[in-house]
Amino acid sequence: GGKKVCGILTEAAIGQNGRFDFVVIGVGLNLYPPTGGFPQKLPNAGALFLDGESGASFAGAAAALLNALHAQLFDMPHRRFLSEYRERSVLTGKSVLVLQSGKTRPAAVLGIDERAGLCVKYPDGTKETLLSGEITIREDDR
């Protein structure tokens, strides 16, 4: 229904040798809405299931997610995931707000490049590929 049911937050540090010192990945997945519903300040929050009757368990969902991520990890150098990633992206063609250095800029999403970067175009015509950062779909494009 156009609602956000999950999110991924990553953080990494690269050492002086140019290799990762560490990578932390946090995944949030809303299986069910909270008791009483989502807060009004989260109007776009959604859940995969409406109630506990689906039988989906948090442990089962976490295990399935980890298994899928593990399989994708070994495919990363081959980038076979890119076509499906592009097909499933809800961002292509959307108007977004890009948050960088504490400032927000409007942009249009052009697509996803070969490195899985998000290609955007700003109102002044400049283009940029985002490899990290935060974006929000603009209200008028939801």
Side-chain angles (χ1 to χ4, degrees):
K3 302 286 185 175
K4 183 177 178 180
V5 298
C6 66
I8 300 174
L9 178 66
T10 60
E11 184 174 335
I14 298 176
Q16 291 181 348
N17 62 2
R19 294 186 169 194
F20 287 112
D21 281 343
F22 68 85
V23 176
V24 178
I25 301 172
V27 178
L29 177 62
N30 299 333
L31 289 182
Y32 305 105
T35 304
F38 289 100
Q40 285 186 328
K41 66 181 180 179
L42 300 174
N44 296 306
L48 291 175
F49 306 107
L50 296 179
D51 54 43
E53 293 179 14
S54 73
S57 72
F58 291 104
L65 180 63
L66 288 172
N67 286 334
L69 287 173
H70 185 262
Q72 292 297 323
L73 177 65
F74 291 101
D75 186 50
M76 286 292 172
H78 308 289
R79 303 216 184 276
R80 289 184 286 253
F81 65 91
L82 268 176
S83 61
E84 184 174 356
Y85 181 49
R86 288 177 177 131
E87 286 174 28
R88 290 177 177 245
S89 174
V90 298
L91 295 174
T92 301
K94 298 281 187 183
S95 296
V96 296
L97 296 173
V98 177
L99 177 64
Q100 292 176 319
S101 304
K103 295 182 180 174
T104 303
R105 296 175 63 190
V109 176
L110 302 175
I112 297 167
D113 76 356
E114 290 301 312
R115 292 181 31 189
L118 189 68
C119 303
V120 298
K121 182 177 180 180
Y122 298 104
D124 66 3
T126 60
K127 296 178 183 177
E128 181 178 20
T129 300
L130 306 172
L131 296 175
S132 65
E134 182 177 335
I135 59 109
T136 303
I137 298 175
R138 293 176 61 178
E139 288 292 328
D140 54 328
D141 235 13
R142 288 190 179 163

